[in-house]
Amino acid sequence: MTDHAFYTLSITIAAALLAYIILWSGLQTFNANPTKRFWRIWSKLLLYYAAYTMPFWALLLIIGRVQQVTPMLAQLSPNAMLMAVIAMGLYFYTVVVQPNRLRLQHHAVDLGLTTPLTVAVLADLRIGLYSGKPRHISKLVATINALSADAVLITGDWLYYPSADLVGQLMLFKGVNKPVYTVMSTSDLRYQSINTTKQGQPLLEDTLANAFDVLDINYIGQQCTSLPLKCARTGNGRLIANQASYIKGHPDTSTQKYLQDNPVVAILCGWQDIPKQLNDDDTLNVPNKAVLSAEIEQATKPVIILASRFDSISDLPKSLQPRPLLITGAAKAIQKNILTAQKKQDIRRIGKQSSLLDNSRMGKQRGLYQHGSAQIFVSSGVGTRGLPFRWYRPTIDVLTIR
């Protein structure tokens, strides 16, 4: 092949790669259905889909350098070429490979239970631009189904610019064979209530709360229920947890009979944070936190609290014994709050892992902490937001609570 023919072929391949990146990222930007920040979303997706083309760019660079296709490539030193190829490989790895390397992390927590419970914890799903593709959710569901766990707890942060067909994007979660409990984060609530078009129509075809109903996911914002979970088996064999709240001294008739046969081991409560601008939104229908605090104080069994934010600890009752276990995610704002609390010596980490100050940017902030009001478990999460890079592996935390 002549130098001119190879040059033409290289230019054609490069143009095709650029066209794929620009056009496909633009199409996916419209699929995300943004009403604002269109160009910001498009630029993020340009970076995301560019990562898939890195092997081709690296191959073109190497062949072009060997064939000396252009004077610039001919003058490129071997060290510079090697650095460029390594950078492309690292870019491809952190965007394409690392988010698919799902792993399990097992932890033991002492809460004084009469019978141990095992729960799988998922945080920061961020379904939308980068995460929540069918291959991601299928792997999550298959991994969860293979676990011997009593329940799945999701700490919120479900969405990150999802497609308009929210139920369709989340439908694979219906295959989970264990009871699933969740709360919403403040960003989820914004999608839920105020993320509308200029014409006042909903941005999404359905709300997140309605999607939970379709997918048999139990939303427990500001509610409590008993553990082990009261379950009913559906026609497809799936276990659905009882929605009834458990309040000290006031269980309903069916719950009362169940509790006689299956003594309560712990109380699971959802602690829902509401953005200030959404407090007056009637569609949220979230009870006052004072009511939930009183219910937690009345509990006669150890309490497990599911929350989207670490700083929920500031609203908890101070004198509970045993101290409740607060399970939360490790989003960026939570990392900042934990760092501040550590500096003030309000919390201390349990275990031999490095401190948050050394590793907060690398996903090492997960783990168990001790606080005067509660034990805190921080889950590192499985999704990606912001820029598409992911430096640490997506993790499902499996807690054995004794």
Side-chain angles (χ1 to χ4, degrees):
M1 183 181 292
T2 64
D3 292 342
H4 177 71
F6 185 81
Y7 175 80
T8 302
L9 178 61
S10 300
I11 293 298
T12 302
I13 295 175
L17 291 175
L18 289 174
Y20 160 75
I21 295 170
I22 294 171
L23 295 177
W24 188 248
S25 61
L27 178 63
Q28 294 303 312
T29 301
F30 284 108
N31 187 49
N33 200 24
T35 57
K36 56 184 179 179
R37 299 180 178 178
F38 181 90
W39 298 108
R40 179 183 296 183
I41 296 173
W42 193 2
S43 65
K44 290 180 177 181
L45 287 174
L46 284 171
L47 290 173
Y48 178 68
Y49 287 108
Y52 287 84
T53 67
M54 286 298 108
F56 300 100
W57 290 112
L59 185 61
L60 284 176
L61 176 62
I62 294 171
I63 296 176
R65 169 67 176 78
V66 172
Q67 297 291 330
Q68 298 184 357
V69 175
T70 65
M72 180 180 297
L73 289 177
Q75 296 174 6
L76 189 65
S77 69
N79 288 339
M81 185 183 69
L82 180 61
M83 292 297 294
V85 171
I86 291 175
M88 291 178 186
L90 183 62
Y91 186 33
F92 177 82
Y93 180 83
T94 57
V95 177
V96 179
V97 178
Q98 188 76 313
N100 291 292
R101 298 181 64 229
L102 182 66
R103 67 175 176 179
L104 296 172
Q105 285 284 318
H106 293 266
H107 311 265
V109 182
D110 186 6
L111 195 61
L113 303 187
T114 56
T115 303
L117 291 172
T118 301
V119 296
V121 180
L122 275 69
D124 304 319
L125 293 172
R126 303 295 183 183
I127 291 171
L129 290 190
Y130 315 129
S131 307
K133 311 298 183 187
R135 65 180 183 276
H136 297 149
I137 299 179
S138 295
K139 192 169 186 178
L140 271 177
V141 171
T143 304
I144 290 170
N145 287 349
L147 290 173
S148 178
D150 298 294
V152 179
L153 307 182
I154 301 178
T155 66
D157 286 314
W158 278 83
L159 307 177
Y160 185 63
Y161 294 107
S163 65
D165 182 13
L166 188 58
V167 172
Q169 194 166 13
L170 298 177
M171 185 56 70
L172 288 173
F173 278 103
K174 198 173 179 67
V176 177
N177 62 3
K178 298 170 178 62
V180 181
Y181 275 75
T182 189
V183 292
M184 294 190 207
S185 67
T186 54
S187 61
D188 292 334
L189 290 171
R190 291 189 181 98
Y191 279 108
Q192 172 85 359
S193 61
I194 65 173
N195 205 358
T196 56
T197 64
K198 293 179 180 179
Q199 292 75 31
Q201 299 300 314
L203 174 66
L204 304 176
E205 293 180 3
D206 216 338
T207 65
L208 188 55
N210 288 340
F212 291 157
D213 291 339
V214 173
L215 302 175
D216 299 325
I217 294 173
N218 301 290
Y219 171 63
I220 55 167
Q222 308 300 80
Q223 300 176 38
C224 293
T225 189
S226 58
L227 292 174
L229 303 173
K230 180 182 180 182
C231 299
R233 191 172 296 275
T234 62
N236 62 4
R238 176 185 169 87
L239 293 177
I240 306 302
N242 191 330
Q243 296 278 1
S245 295
Y246 173 80
I247 303 176
K248 181 183 176 183
H250 299 284
D252 61 32
T253 304
S254 60
T255 302
Q256 191 170 27
K257 183 179 185 305
Y258 174 80
L259 294 178
Q260 292 173 356
D261 300 330
N262 301 272
V264 174
V265 174
I267 305 299
L268 174 66
C269 297
W271 194 268
Q272 183 65 68
D273 289 285
I274 305 297
K276 292 181 180 179
Q277 63 269 32
L278 301 184
N279 279 339
D280 297 329
D281 190 341
D282 294 334
T283 63
L284 296 178
N285 192 27
V286 178
N288 190 290
K289 285 187 176 180
V291 177
L292 182 60
S293 295
E295 185 173 342
I296 292 174
E297 286 183 305
Q298 294 173 13
T300 58
K301 297 292 182 178
V303 176
I304 300 170
I305 300 172
L306 185 63
S308 64
R309 295 171 59 89
F310 157 78
D311 51 8
S312 301
I313 195 73
S314 61
D315 297 319
L316 293 178
K318 306 297 182 185
S319 58
L320 292 181
Q321 291 298 329
R323 288 175 303 153
L325 171 63
L326 174 66
I327 299 175
T328 185
K332 185 176 180 180
I334 296 172
Q335 297 174 19
K336 181 179 178 181
N337 293 334
I338 293 178
L339 289 172
T340 302
Q342 279 197 316
K343 289 178 180 178
K344 295 179 180 179
Q345 297 184 340
D346 288 338
I347 64 173
R348 60 185 179 87
R349 186 161 189 166
I350 303 302
K352 298 180 180 179
Q353 296 171 321
S354 302
S355 68
L356 287 176
L357 293 174
D358 295 330
N359 296 291
S360 62
R361 301 299 295 175
M362 298 296 290
K364 302 294 186 181
Q365 68 280 353
R366 66 180 180 273
L368 184 64
Y369 298 84
Q370 295 293 347
H371 183 275
S373 299
Q375 297 185 79
I376 308 166
F377 183 83
V378 180
S379 180
S380 59
V382 297
T384 305
R385 62 161 296 166
L387 295 176
F389 318 110
R390 188 174 185 94
W391 295 104
Y392 56 96
R393 294 174 65 178
T395 303
I396 299 176
D397 290 294
V398 182
L399 273 59
T400 300
I401 308 172
R402 301 185 180 92

